[in-house]
Amino acid sequence: MKADGHIHTPFCPHGTKDTFEEYIVQSKQLGFDEISFTEHAPLPARFVDPTPQKDSGMDPNELENYFTVLTELQKKFASEIKINIGLEVDYIEGYEEDTKAFLNEYGRYLNDSILSVHFLKKGNHFYCLDYSPDMFETMIGDYSSVEAVYDAYYHTLLSSITSDLGPYKPKRIGHMTLVHKFQKKFPASKNFSDKINSILDLIAEQGLSLDYNGAGINKPLCREVYPYEQVIKEAIKRKIPLVYGSDAHSRKDLNQGFDDLFKGAVLVSPTTY
């Protein structure tokens, strides 16, 4: 089975307006048997999005329509391709109760979900770490070094795994090495392997899976999948399930990075672990 567990939609405020049907037809043409639409969940109401356009999460007023549209598409294409209704949920330090309340209300409608870290807190300020090279450079100045940004990212990632977000907490960790997005411009002087391996140990202990995300391969300042090969080898040692995700924000992004996946990896369906 060929599955994609991480696809965005026309409900994404920073994506394209490619239709659901265009994503589905393209997925079928690429040989996918199963796909998960995992739109960025609405951010907590009291959280101030640090991106200039305030467009990191979907409009909360569109959430019920999102579920309705996808439910109809599941029925329409049931005999052709398995479609999962999902969300990519942000872990945001200090907003755990908000996220738990959201999942308690809407988690029952989900077939699939991903837990990701995009926002890092420094003092009373948040940054969106993957927004742009300029924002990342500002972070380096505020944190004092590239390595300090990496350290903060992995610390926050660890917190996302240990946090109590209730019974509907996502069981897949999104793009584990997203902090590498701008590595060719801002390289780190160490590899953080000890910290990464500790995180993998915890993922294995909790029975979680990893988003094997192909998007980084097409990012000009990254040029590697998230997570990169050595991390995948360590995940395999720990028998952590790996779910391929294109992280497509347009239909042309589907299948990105699939041919660059580590050949020793065994990929699983988003909904079978």
Side-chain angles (χ1 to χ4, degrees):
M1 174 175 285
K2 186 177 180 181
D4 187 338
H6 193 156
I7 301 175
H8 292 277
T9 77
F11 282 81
C12 180
H14 59 263
T16 65
K17 294 305 176 185
D18 289 353
T19 67
F20 281 105
E21 286 84 355
E22 287 174 323
Y23 280 105
I24 293 166
V25 169
Q26 183 78 353
S27 295
K28 288 168 54 185
Q29 290 174 348
L30 289 165
F32 286 95
D33 305 287
E34 179 179 356
I35 56 175
S36 292
F37 285 109
T38 52
E39 195 47 76
H40 293 284
L43 300 176
R46 65 188 184 94
F47 178 71
V48 179
D49 186 347
T51 65
Q53 302 303 320
K54 314 295 183 192
D55 60 355
S56 297
M58 70 182 293
D59 184 340
N61 296 317
E62 294 285 351
L63 195 58
E64 290 190 14
N65 188 33
Y66 174 75
F67 293 140
T68 299
V69 169
L70 277 174
T71 300
E72 290 303 312
L73 289 169
Q74 281 182 322
K75 297 173 184 176
K76 180 178 178 179
F77 291 95
S79 64
E80 303 172 54
I81 187 171
K82 182 179 180 183
I83 297 172
N84 299 313
I85 301 172
L87 288 171
E88 182 177 11
V89 178
D90 273 289
Y91 172 79
I92 307 174
E93 182 183 349
Y95 291 81
E96 292 85 354
E97 289 303 315
D98 305 66
T99 303
K100 184 176 182 178
F102 172 83
L103 288 169
N104 283 342
E105 183 172 359
Y106 294 106
R108 70 195 71 183
Y109 303 113
L110 302 176
N111 310 125
D112 194 13
S113 58
I114 302 168
L115 185 64
S116 297
V117 172
H118 296 96
F119 303 106
L120 295 187
K121 186 179 183 182
K122 178 65 173 175
N124 294 320
H125 185 76
F126 279 92
Y127 290 101
C128 183
L129 76 99
D130 65 321
Y131 179 75
S132 70
D134 288 344
M135 185 172 285
F136 198 85
E137 186 171 26
T138 301
M139 293 177 68
I140 293 169
D142 200 0
Y143 281 87
S144 77
S145 69
V146 175
E147 292 73 26
V149 175
Y150 274 56
D151 192 65
Y153 172 74
Y154 287 120
H155 174 78
T156 306
L157 187 65
L158 186 65
S159 296
S160 76
I161 296 165
T162 59
S163 65
D164 176 13
L165 299 181
Y168 295 106
K169 179 179 177 177
K171 292 179 170 56
R172 183 155 78 256
I173 302 302
H175 39 56
M176 180 179 166
T177 56
L178 182 64
V179 72
H180 282 213
K181 185 174 180 179
F182 307 115
Q183 63 180 344
K184 291 191 177 295
K185 186 172 183 179
F186 306 110
S189 62
K190 60 179 183 176
N191 61 19
F192 292 87
S193 58
D194 289 345
K195 186 157 289 191
I196 288 170
N197 288 339
S198 295
I199 291 170
L200 290 173
D201 287 339
L202 190 57
I203 288 173
E205 285 174 20
Q206 295 199 8
L208 305 178
S209 69
L210 273 183
D211 173 36
Y212 198 164
N213 191 302
I217 203 76
N218 289 329
K219 305 301 182 186
L221 297 179
C222 183
R223 297 302 188 193
E224 67 183 21
V225 296
Y226 311 123
Y228 53 92
E229 183 175 312
Q230 186 55 42
V231 180
I232 291 300
K233 288 179 178 178
E234 292 295 330
I236 291 170
K237 288 180 185 177
R238 292 162 175 78
K239 296 181 171 55
I240 295 171
L242 304 171
V243 179
Y244 167 72
S246 64
D247 205 348
H249 285 70
S250 70
R251 62 178 175 175
K252 68 177 177 60
D253 294 336
L254 291 166
N255 212 58
Q256 65 181 343
F258 194 86
D259 295 333
D260 299 280
L261 300 176
F262 174 57
K263 301 308 179 186
V266 176
L267 302 174
V268 303
S269 159
T271 54
T272 57
Y273 55 88

